[in-house]
Amino acid sequence: MNLSKFLVTTTALTLSAGIASSQDMTIVSWGGAYSKSQLKAYHEPYSEKTGVNIINDDSSAEAVAKLRAMNEANNVTWDVVDVVAADAMRLCDEGLALEIDHDTQLAPAPDGTSASEDFGELIVSDCFIPQIVYSTTFGYRTDLVGDTAPTSVCAVFDLENYPGKRSLEKRPINNMEWALLCDGVAKDEVYNVLETSEGQDRALAKLDTIKDSVVWWSAGADTPQLLADGEVIMGSTYNGRLFSVIEEQKQPVAMLWDAQVFDLDGWIIPAGLSAERQKRALDYIYFATDTQRLADQAKYISYGPARASSAPLVGKHADLGIDMAPHMPTDPNNAKNTFLYNYEFWADYRDDIDAKFQAWLAQ
Amino acid sequence: MLDYSEKYSMEVADGTPLKKSLARSLRKEKLRALALIAPLLIFVLVTFVLPIGTMLTRSIDNSIVEEILPRTVLALEDWNEKGDELPNEMVFRSFVEDFQDAIADKNHTKIGSRLNYEVSGMSSLFRKSARKVKKWDLTDNAPIKQKLIEVNKAWGDVETWAVIKTHSVALTNGYFLNAVDMQRTPFGAQAQPENKQVLVKLFIRTLKMSLIITGMCILLGYPVAWLLANLSNRTSNLLLILVLLPFWTSLLVRTSAWKVMLQNQGVINDLLVWIGLITEGSRLEIINNQFGTIVAMTHILLPFMILPMYSVMKTIPPSYLRAAKSLGATNWTAFWRVYFPQSVPGIGAGSILVFILAIGYYITPEIVGGTDGIFISNRIAYHISSSLNWGLASALGAILLGVVLLLYWVYDKIVGIDNVKLG
């Protein structure tokens, strides 16, 4: 076999391995309990309805880098991708995600309200189709924090009354805000202060007071494990993870909803799909983000549906049979004091503040 | 005048000179050999050299600015970025022309993210300004400069334009400067502000800790390899399985197991408290720091040290030791003067393997390293998958590669690369 023939054959083999059958659709998500909730609420009913075979890929944590690489290689193998809003914005900025016309391409609410009104301010980017509202918040060990349970996020910075280790995420986002808040900065001033170099130093100085007592995490599952082992007395993570520690595993842990930071997670469709695949992806999105479907997902995981019209439809947990509404981050009792992740701010300052944060960590 | 060899050249049967005929058949041999290794060669080129090569070119490639803002880059040439005067109307007009083209091609946010690596705020400056500039009609003669500054006052800062000009060259040293805690400025290369310097520190730490880990592996691995080579076949096979067992276990499982062992409420601390060596209040901090990283990585990399050592020791005839002893050497002398020098090639091979694997590690340091146990590879991973600053990641990778090659060269000079054996 001569060389060119050899190359042609191997290339053809590689390509045919990469092309899925026309009835397959690859959906990328985070894995674990979250993917399971999507499987139950979206994938299974959709496959039943259309016969499309859905392939799960748990690559959302690396989605932006991988999509960029796929785009450069001109071979995008994903059809629908679940990402956090900040990543959706970056994918949109880089031209890697499809721009969506939310009103024509998504289902209206049952009462006829247009999709863009139903999602409201949660549409933070032209490419982003919101799915859930989740929050990053603290949980604490009820048996290890002494007689007075913490009620404020500043307990994290209070080593005198709450001695012991606490776990924080190994990145500046959220930690800097909480530090400033507990250093006496008013809530609506936080980002104005954080914009300045002095403000950043101030936040780091506040974090410095507890640096020796912090265990830093990088995976969402770390804090639940650290809490269950008694390694830390309190720690931040995603509210759904804490829900499962408290309600499913029955650990002596309680939620500290104070100053929880809301964030959004949702879908994007990669740019550069063939017309046929794009059409199918849009069809899936139309189905999976209607009012009932979003409310269904909350049966399996304690994240709030992104549509206003879904909230009244949230029912009981599919296995535990408990009411899900009080466990939603958006429940009025939990949402007395909240932050919304400031996408614009962090898109601008993430590189700069991260460098400072890492330098501070390494000291 | 003909020289000697041509005058008296030998010929083969068909009349061609022997030299030519020999060269021809040799060439044929070489081509056949080449054809045989061609699949492997092509495979290595296509899947290894090519991707790594293109990735490394990103560390100097900066054509994006020139491509998206060609007229602006040209117009900025005459402007003095070191002064405190804004560029003239011409520059502003060319910029808005470029900007409108970029918006039409949806490229404007790309340039925003690129420049945001250098100065915070560029990302939203480009994204937000686009919404207004998109609709402008450039045929009327209104002063563009004033209009643009009204859209966002950052356009009225000399710094904004200085950043564009400083980073408009197609081939830049900016990423490499960033990789060693410096930055490209209008006034040449300058050090980063002190509170952002972390990368050089991480490079040094990576090398230092990799050396410690290699040393620990030699200390722990040598006796094990010696046992393996000198015990009866039956026992040594059993031991070998114990050495190989970790190979068959997932890296993540092994690392997590160390977490369970070493953490504050973990097995080791519990045991020490139980036997009364330490009190409940003084549990040892042996994870989420350098110590944890060294312990976990030594364990994970140990087989890479033991196996080459073992295969070299296996070839050392035991009769040498006996001969040394029968000539009056003590046990120690016999080992140190006769056995050890023969086992050095195994130590060399193991050390190179362990050291090179260690400096590229990032999963284990990320999980058990806390803050002072992380490596430079953790930053490379961050810039590849989170910040998307692939230029900086490539520059860091290129430096790491350079350091490895340099150390390899030093090793060759000191120990000699011929003195390395895998068996």
Side-chain angles (χ1 to χ4, degrees):
Chain A
M1 192 187 282
N2 66 24
L3 186 64
S4 62
K5 218 183 207 171
F6 172 78
L7 275 180
V8 168
T9 327
T10 46
T11 318
L13 276 173
T14 326
L15 282 180
S16 63
I19 297 169
S21 100
S22 65
Q23 279 299 303
D24 283 348
M25 182 153 80
T26 305
I27 297 187
V28 180
S29 188
W30 299 91
Y34 187 66
S35 279
K36 204 180 138 205
S37 74
Q38 292 178 327
L39 180 79
K40 294 277 181 200
Y42 311 148
H43 302 354
E44 281 179 0
Y46 185 73
S47 293
E48 205 168 296
K49 185 177 149 224
T50 59
V52 170
N53 178 33
I54 291 175
I55 301 165
N56 265 305
D57 183 334
D58 301 337
S59 300
S60 280
E62 248 86 56
V64 187
K66 284 194 175 172
L67 269 176
R68 194 201 241 187
M70 284 184 191
N71 197 275
E72 286 183 10
N74 243 328
N75 182 22
V76 180
T77 56
W78 294 346
D79 295 287
V80 181
V81 187
D82 188 295
V83 287
V84 292
D87 283 346
M89 261 175 99
R90 284 195 305 159
L91 287 166
C92 215
D93 277 0
E94 297 248 340
L96 298 172
L98 186 73
E99 282 187 20
I100 300 286
D101 181 357
H102 292 80
D103 278 337
T104 59
Q105 290 173 318
L106 299 177
D111 64 359
T113 312
S114 70
S116 62
E117 214 169 296
D118 205 8
F119 284 114
E121 286 173 3
L122 305 191
I123 300 175
V124 292
S125 154
D126 293 336
C127 305
F128 182 61
I129 305 135
Q131 184 187 158
I132 55 150
V133 178
Y134 70 96
S135 85
T136 308
T137 187
F138 284 90
Y140 59 90
R141 277 284 291 246
T142 47
D143 54 340
L144 296 177
V145 290
D147 299 331
T148 43
T151 52
S152 148
V153 71
C154 296
V156 174
F157 297 90
D158 183 357
L159 289 176
E160 211 168 293
N161 292 314
Y162 301 101
K165 297 259 182 192
R166 40 272 275 148
S167 60
L168 293 174
E169 189 173 3
K170 204 193 273 181
R171 63 171 194 175
I173 298 170
N174 299 348
N175 294 331
M176 301 291 268
E177 287 100 320
W178 285 323
L180 284 182
L181 207 60
C182 294
D183 202 34
V185 177
K187 204 165 98 176
D188 45 3
E189 279 294 306
V190 164
Y191 289 104
N192 291 338
V193 174
L194 208 49
E195 242 176 41
T196 62
S197 171
E198 298 78 40
Q200 293 156 13
D201 291 344
R202 187 172 164 190
L204 288 176
K206 183 72 181 173
L207 283 167
D208 211 49
T209 59
I210 56 165
K211 194 179 180 187
D212 293 336
S213 300
V214 175
V215 176
W216 300 96
W217 61 268
S218 42
D222 288 348
T223 291
Q225 190 59 47
L226 290 166
L227 281 170
D229 289 350
E231 280 292 299
V232 298
I233 60 161
M234 56 178 81
S236 68
T237 188
Y238 314 127
N239 72 289
R241 302 273 189 172
L242 288 169
F243 171 82
S244 98
V245 172
I246 297 168
E247 296 296 339
E248 289 166 13
Q249 298 164 26
K250 302 286 179 201
Q251 296 287 334
V253 174
M255 305 284 296
L256 174 65
W257 289 104
D258 186 48
Q260 56 165 322
V261 182
F262 281 151
D263 197 351
L264 308 170
D265 189 273
W267 303 110
I268 61 102
I269 296 173
L273 294 183
S274 68
E276 188 206 350
R277 281 174 67 197
Q278 187 175 312
K279 192 166 153 262
R280 205 144 36 97
L282 282 166
D283 186 58
Y284 170 84
I285 290 292
Y286 188 93
F287 174 85
T289 59
D290 72 12
T291 302
Q292 185 58 48
R293 246 30 83 184
L294 287 185
D296 283 351
Q297 193 187 4
K299 280 187 209 161
Y300 304 96
I301 201 152
S302 64
Y303 295 130
R307 278 182 189 259
S309 63
S310 298
L313 302 177
V314 171
K316 289 185 185 327
H317 190 279
D319 303 322
L320 300 172
I322 51 173
D323 258 331
M324 288 304 277
H327 296 284
M328 293 293 160
T330 42
D331 186 77
N333 274 325
N334 303 333
K336 285 176 197 147
N337 181 24
T338 65
F339 257 100
L340 180 60
Y341 184 117
N342 190 329
Y343 303 100
E344 287 283 346
F345 177 85
W346 282 111
D348 278 344
Y349 287 91
R350 170 186 173 122
D351 300 316
D352 184 40
I353 296 184
D354 189 77
K356 288 179 183 160
F357 184 78
Q358 294 298 335
W360 168 77
L361 273 186
Q363 265 167 28
Chain B
M1 192 184 129
L2 293 171
D3 70 14
Y4 178 85
S5 67
E6 258 172 88
K7 214 192 284 178
Y8 299 98
S9 68
M10 283 196 270
E11 290 175 355
V12 286
D14 63 356
T16 46
L18 177 64
K19 206 173 167 188
K20 220 184 222 173
S21 164
L22 208 61
R24 191 187 291 152
S25 79
L26 270 180
R27 196 164 55 231
K28 218 183 243 170
E29 280 292 302
K30 271 187 195 152
L31 277 178
R32 188 181 299 157
L34 198 66
L36 278 172
I37 64 155
L40 180 68
L41 192 69
I42 292 167
F43 180 78
V44 169
L45 276 177
V46 171
T47 63
F48 191 72
V49 178
L50 206 69
I52 291 182
T54 45
M55 204 64 205
L56 289 182
T57 56
R58 284 170 195 273
S59 59
I60 48 168
D61 175 31
N62 188 46
S63 46
I64 174 170
V65 182
E66 212 175 37
E67 265 164 33
I68 299 180
L69 305 173
R71 281 161 284 202
T72 316
V73 170
L74 214 62
L76 273 173
E77 258 172 28
D78 299 328
W79 174 66
N80 174 20
E81 72 272 28
K82 291 175 193 155
D84 45 13
E85 230 172 275
L86 273 178
N88 57 22
E89 175 71 15
M90 232 290 277
V91 172
F92 276 82
R93 186 168 279 272
S94 332
F95 173 74
V96 170
E97 282 170 10
D98 284 339
F99 198 31
Q100 286 186 328
D101 285 354
I103 296 166
D105 300 337
K106 291 185 184 146
N107 273 335
H108 61 290
T109 43
K110 277 187 203 169
I111 185 103
S113 340
R114 164 65 190 96
L115 294 173
N116 202 67
Y117 295 137
E118 314 299 337
V119 173
S120 296
M122 295 301 256
S123 174
S124 68
L125 178 63
F126 276 80
R127 195 181 315 115
K128 282 183 188 160
S129 303
R131 282 174 214 145
K132 293 193 180 139
V133 175
K134 185 160 63 175
K135 302 184 194 96
W136 284 2
D137 182 10
L138 280 180
T139 46
D140 65 5
N141 289 319
I144 297 285
K145 187 169 174 174
Q146 203 185 331
K147 259 177 103 179
L148 195 63
I149 294 172
E150 271 166 28
V151 168
N152 194 320
K153 60 181 191 323
W155 295 116
D157 290 340
V158 176
E159 201 202 355
T160 308
W161 298 97
V163 167
I164 297 178
K165 186 167 178 185
T166 314
H167 296 280
S168 63
V169 288
L171 293 178
T172 182
N173 57 359
Y175 292 123
F176 274 99
L177 288 174
N178 284 346
V180 292
D181 289 334
M182 294 174 78
Q183 55 185 338
R184 192 182 158 91
T185 70
F187 307 96
Q190 283 180 357
Q192 290 270 21
E194 209 159 300
N195 61 357
K196 283 174 83 174
Q197 295 183 5
V198 63
L199 297 172
V200 171
K201 194 187 247 173
L202 286 179
F203 269 119
I204 293 170
R205 179 195 289 165
T206 305
L207 292 178
K208 211 169 72 189
M209 288 184 57
S210 300
L211 278 176
I212 295 175
I213 289 161
T214 312
M216 295 295 292
C217 282
I218 296 176
L219 284 182
L220 292 173
Y222 198 88
V224 179
W226 187 83
L227 268 181
L228 281 175
N230 290 293
L231 284 177
S232 72
N233 262 345
R234 237 184 102 126
T235 7
S236 76
N237 274 345
L238 192 74
L239 265 183
L240 197 61
I241 288 177
L242 291 182
V243 171
L244 287 172
L245 206 60
F247 259 152
W248 304 328
T249 322
S250 143
L251 173 74
L252 278 173
V253 172
R254 277 182 283 162
T255 309
S256 307
W258 276 112
K259 234 178 159 162
V260 177
M261 291 290 288
L262 298 177
Q263 66 185 2
N264 226 300
Q265 310 290 326
V267 179
I268 290 187
N269 265 316
D270 280 352
L271 193 74
L272 290 176
V273 170
W274 184 66
I275 58 174
L277 264 180
I278 53 172
T279 62
E280 185 64 45
S282 62
R283 283 172 177 262
L284 302 175
E285 296 283 339
I286 42 181
I287 199 162
N288 295 326
N289 51 25
Q290 295 196 355
F291 184 82
T293 306
I294 290 173
V295 170
M297 281 182 63
T298 302
H299 169 242
I300 287 164
L301 294 174
L302 201 52
F304 293 97
M305 183 64 85
I306 293 178
L307 294 176
M309 277 185 179
Y310 163 68
S311 59
V312 167
M313 287 181 185
K314 199 82 187 152
T315 62
I316 303 174
S319 51
Y320 287 9
L321 268 185
R322 286 204 297 273
K325 277 188 217 168
S326 73
L327 290 171
T330 61
N331 277 344
W332 170 253
T333 319
F335 166 73
W336 186 246
R337 302 282 301 277
V338 176
Y339 193 85
F340 182 76
Q342 295 184 80
S343 66
V344 164
I347 300 179
S351 301
I352 289 185
L353 270 178
V354 170
F355 183 77
I356 288 178
L357 284 172
I359 64 175
Y361 250 56
Y362 78 97
I363 293 178
T364 305
E366 181 71 37
I367 296 178
V368 299
T371 56
D372 59 0
I374 61 160
F375 283 14
I376 191 70
S377 342
N378 296 82
R379 294 314 290 161
I380 299 181
Y382 167 80
H383 285 300
I384 287 280
S385 62
S386 283
S387 82
L388 287 195
N389 192 349
W390 286 6
L392 178 54
S394 311
L396 291 169
I399 292 177
L400 200 58
L401 186 64
V403 170
V404 172
L405 292 177
L406 184 76
L407 286 172
Y408 186 80
W409 179 79
V410 170
Y411 183 91
D412 186 32
K413 285 284 149 198
I414 298 174
V415 185
I417 210 64
D418 301 333
N419 201 11
V420 163
K421 265 202 275 181
L422 283 165

